[in-house]
Amino acid sequence: MTLTQAAAGARTGAAPESGGPVERGMLEDLAAASRILVDQGVFDAAGHFSMRHPHHPDRFLMSRSLAPALVTADDIMEFDLDAEPCDARGRSGFLERFIHSEIYRRRPDVMAVAHSHSAAVIPFGLVGTPLRATYHNAAFLAAGVNVFDIREKFGTTDIVVNAPDKGAALAEVLADKSVVLLRAHGMVAVGPTVPDTVFRAIFTEVSARVQLQAALLGGPMAALDAEEGRLADAVNLATVARSWDLWKRRVTD
Amino acid sequence: MTLTQAAAGARTGAAPESGGPVERGMLEDLAAASRILVDQGVFDAAGHFSMRHPHHPDRFLMSRSLAPALVTADDIMEFDLDAEPCDARGRSGFLERFIHSEIYRRRPDVMAVAHSHSAAVIPFGLVGTPLRATYHNAAFLAAGVNVFDIREKFGTTDIVVNAPDKGAALAEVLADKSVVLLRAHGMVAVGPTVPDTVFRAIFTEVSARVQLQAALLGGPMAALDAEEGRLADAVNLATVARSWDLWKRRVTD
Amino acid sequence: MTLTQAAAGARTGAAPESGGPVERGMLEDLAAASRILVDQGVFDAAGHFSMRHPHHPDRFLMSRSLAPALVTADDIMEFDLDAEPCDARGRSGFLERFIHSEIYRRRPDVMAVAHSHSAAVIPFGLVGTPLRATYHNAAFLAAGVNVFDIREKFGTTDIVVNAPDKGAALAEVLADKSVVLLRAHGMVAVGPTVPDTVFRAIFTEVSARVQLQAALLGGPMAALDAEEGRLADAVNLATVARSWDLWKRRVTD
Amino acid sequence: MTLTQAAAGARTGAAPESGGPVERGMLEDLAAASRILVDQGVFDAAGHFSMRHPHHPDRFLMSRSLAPALVTADDIMEFDLDAEPCDARGRSGFLERFIHSEIYRRRPDVMAVAHSHSAAVIPFGLVGTPLRATYHNAAFLAAGVNVFDIREKFGTTDIVVNAPDKGAALAEVLADKSVVLLRAHGMVAVGPTVPDTVFRAIFTEVSARVQLQAALLGGPMAALDAEEGRLADAVNLATVARSWDLWKRRVTD
């Protein structure tokens, strides 16, 4: 805990202790993840991306409330698993940071979380068609994708996942999968690293477009089955650096 | 009324009095709204955006007839609710400025109006499928969207809303809603501020694309209901600045 | 006929006489038309645009065979209505310049011709669905659009309109309309000026996209009827300069 | 075989002999092909392009494993038909270079190979709809397009064509055609030159988009028949330089 952070804690009377300093390059990668997802058409003026604190599993790092195209390392805040900021310094977090905190709480394997209003994905959260893995880059979808309908537990709401219980309900519907859809809202992708999670957010969107087109052509669809998906996902995770390097280069000077 | 304006009034013999000078920043935001809607794919080489005069409810401000990508604060003209210019200085207004004047006349809550030929929206004005709120950013659509068919009152026309009676008929079909479709023409979005109205114009277009895709997947569509829409719209209006700042930055240096 | 042109005629023994020098600004507009149609997504690496010679109705002006994105005023060649170059100077014309020559021969009202492989339009030349005027900017389509199938007169070919008789057959199917589709090939748009013809090529493409989407929503489609189309087209022709100025600015420095 | 290459061979104990130096301009064209296919929306962060060695039919040239947007002439490696590098110098080839080696082995007429995850094409590898030649630029499709389903010979896999026997099975399904689809994976295009193969990869993608739209309009589809396709393909191959020059210019300074 730095002096500044201690002071901030003293000011609020309740700020959680920091998990410790984080290497600058990691923060820059985390910030780049937001800009990459804008550049790749997954994030619009909204959308947020977080990573678990590398030295403290009960903390996570996430931009202040800001359009993702504008996020830099200096905008990253630290939160505990109640989504309380460790050192707010006057900055506001996203209303929906509970999506992130409650997934980190329930999924120790998850190291990064992306939430988007991915336009090609939203239709699949509105109707009964399950999202499938249309090709190997979307292999992680073959394990299945659930849909979180906030009405089921919370009745009529403003749709926003703005409290711990809503985040917890979402995390339960996500279960052990890589992606969950939010009815009339968007999706969440998770993964074991920042680049893997960026990769999954991008190919969920691409695969949704491909699936709609295949469905329009009609007839049975030979998407990846669960075991093909498991095998292909391992290849993707082993080779994601090639894509990540390109994507990152496009959003950094 | 400035001396120049008085002179112009004298020249035409009938120019209405100005509502008074408007802060430069407001005019720049109004001009930026046109450029933002081009940048976001809602306006093409046509499309126009206006705001009610901040100091005079019976005046409104709107660009001279000009491609919206080119509009700057210096192109803004002032009109009364008969769509007569207060100080034309040789500039021509849009033929369809009556869309704006008649809405301002009937809807005191409306402070800004956008008219576009939004490509994904036009199909919904041609067939019987009602536009719905496919996700929270399009919450304002959950209150319902009517379609104005100029044939009903005016028979065979050139489609252009180029007179007060046509604008009035359109404003009546808009009723108390945020958006109205114009058959074989486009749409109009209204709102309580310039950024809110830009937000609504953008997400009407995005939601129309999502709705078509959901419809193609088939089955019942779990769009926002009216009460969810009302609640989610309040959140949108409270957080629109985050999007507006980004959009504006993209079209200003 | 300039000295250079006379010399070229002497060399080939048969070069037709030029219609005379053309104002530089006209040639620059003609070249810009090609670049505009690339910029607006109507032309790809192919596509060609011509205008009738302003001083000689039996001559027309058209780029040498060159990707339309690269066309400048210096690439413009002059042809007679047999599509013979007046002054080739080693330059090759497009194989399909007979599309242009035979339309100019049969349609004295036509002053400009565009031929594209407009991606959203091609589907309508492959199936039996007639192209309609989905909104006022596409009003010129309300008069009807025929489909030219080269097989009907010429049997199995390479599809290319590379001879006078093929151009003549195409011009007959065009009839007195503004647009004709070419089965498994593309489309041709014509008009009374260069900007009008650019406008029509662009909005044929846009309207085709809108029509497909409206058809997918299902139900009767309230497109413009013939008389609405005639009236709206007159407004478009009167206001096309606003669009043209913007489009041209985007492709010139 | 250069001294460096001999040394590399000595180090690995098994490096095949080089087919000899290749003109710099050829390597630059080969590298440009990868960047062109990114620029034209056919390659994403993956995708690879190769050419047969101009002086040795049993060797081919292909980038090291690298995002295609970044490939330059210096990234080109040489392989034999077992996909063994002649001079790796620490560089890694693509896992799927066996797609290329086994096609070169079986198809002496093929001088270049492209493998993409072309988004509009993938749907046709998932369902039973055959890809057709919707217009003359896609004429090469009229000869027919087969679908390679890796499950048929290899059961459940990770989908990757990462071994000679998988490449050989793919090459057999390609047969004597220009394009083959890979179920849940992508496509491969081949041709007699680098520009021709780029052209085919691009227009396979474009034609797939057109075909889906035509199918959605409904009714019989008047695509090119086999003989029209054969005739039109000859015209395309004779005029591809016009497109190639433009595409290359867009990705070089």
Side-chain angles (χ1 to χ4, degrees), chain D:
Chain D
M1 191 166 66
T2 67
L3 283 179
T4 310
Q5 283 164 338
R11 279 200 300 275
T12 65
E17 199 173 346
S18 166
V22 177
E23 191 198 333
R24 183 77 186 176
M26 278 187 180
L27 298 179
E28 285 174 349
D29 274 6
L30 175 57
S34 283
R35 300 197 309 271
I36 287 168
L37 289 176
V38 172
D39 185 53
Q40 297 292 319
V42 174
F43 280 180
D44 57 5
H48 26 86
F49 196 103
S50 70
M51 66 179 286
R52 197 187 289 271
H53 194 293
H55 312 311
H56 193 321
D58 289 352
R59 298 288 180 275
F60 68 99
L61 304 162
M62 183 175 173
S63 165
R64 66 184 175 98
S65 178
L66 182 69
L70 308 178
V71 171
T72 66
D74 294 331
D75 299 305
I76 305 298
M77 299 172 68
E78 182 181 348
F79 299 91
D80 70 4
L81 295 191
D82 295 324
E84 287 297 316
C86 298
D87 178 21
R89 280 181 277 146
R91 301 172 296 178
S92 302
F94 280 97
L95 288 178
E96 297 198 312
R97 61 190 186 275
F98 305 95
I99 293 174
H100 303 253
S101 58
E102 298 299 325
I103 290 174
Y104 290 121
R105 194 192 299 279
R106 272 157 196 77
R107 287 280 301 271
D109 61 308
V110 167
M111 299 306 285
V113 175
H115 169 51
S116 77
H117 305 155
S118 209
V121 173
I122 293 175
F124 290 85
L126 290 170
V127 297
T129 310
L131 207 55
R132 302 184 65 186
T134 61
Y135 74 119
H136 58 35
N137 279 345
F140 53 91
L141 296 175
V145 178
N146 300 319
V147 178
F148 171 69
D149 184 349
I150 200 168
R151 288 181 305 193
E152 287 176 13
K153 266 210 172 153
F154 302 94
T156 298
T157 69
D158 59 10
I159 306 293
V160 184
V161 182
N162 55 5
D165 57 346
K166 291 174 180 168
L170 170 63
E172 274 179 31
V173 176
L174 168 63
D176 62 344
K177 308 299 194 286
S178 300
V179 171
V180 62
L181 305 190
L182 287 68
R183 169 197 156 251
H185 184 160
M187 69 141 177
V188 172
V190 302
T193 71
V194 166
D196 293 345
T197 305
V198 165
F199 185 94
R200 286 176 175 173
I202 289 172
F203 286 106
T204 301
E205 170 77 8
V206 176
S207 186
R209 286 200 293 263
V210 171
Q211 183 174 343
L212 174 61
Q213 292 169 29
L216 292 175
L217 289 171
M221 191 184 308
L224 298 189
D225 66 30
E227 181 61 6
E228 286 179 315
R230 204 184 58 76
L231 293 170
D233 193 44
V235 178
N236 292 340
L237 296 186
T239 56
V240 71
R242 189 172 67 214
S243 300
W244 169 260
D245 289 347
L246 174 73
W247 293 330
K248 192 175 162 191
R249 178 187 288 234
R250 287 177 54 91
V251 299
T252 46
D253 295 318

Side-chain angles (χ1 to χ4, degrees), chain B residues 17 29 38 46 54 61 63 76 83 93 143 150 156 161 168 179 189 194 228 230:
Chain B
E17 198 173 348
D29 273 6
V38 173
L61 304 162
S63 165
I76 305 297
I150 200 168
T156 298
V161 182
V179 171
V194 167
E228 286 179 316
R230 204 184 57 75

Side-chain angles (χ1 to χ4, degrees), chain C residues 196-216:
Chain C
D196 294 345
T197 305
V198 165
F199 186 94
R200 286 175 175 175
I202 290 172
F203 286 106
T204 301
E205 170 78 7
V206 176
S207 187
R209 287 200 292 264
V210 171
Q211 183 174 343
L212 174 61
Q213 291 170 28
L216 292 175

Side-chain angles (χ1 to χ4, degrees), chain A residues 134-137 203 206 210 213-214 216-225 227-228 231-232 235 239 242-243 246-247 249, chain D residues 44-46 65-67 69-70 94 117 119-120 122-124 126-127 129 151 156-160 183-185 212 216:
Chain A
T134 62
Y135 73 119
H136 58 36
N137 279 345
F203 287 105
V206 176
V210 171
Q213 292 170 28
L216 292 174
L217 289 172
M221 191 183 307
L224 298 189
D225 67 30
E227 181 60 6
E228 286 179 316
L231 293 170
V235 178
T239 56
R242 190 173 65 215
S243 300
L246 174 73
W247 292 330
R249 179 187 288 234
Chain D
D44 57 5
S65 178
L66 182 69
L70 308 178
F94 280 97
H117 305 155
I122 293 175
F124 290 85
L126 290 170
V127 297
T129 310
R151 288 181 305 193
T156 298
T157 69
D158 59 10
I159 306 293
V160 184
R183 169 197 156 251
H185 184 160
L212 174 61
L216 292 175

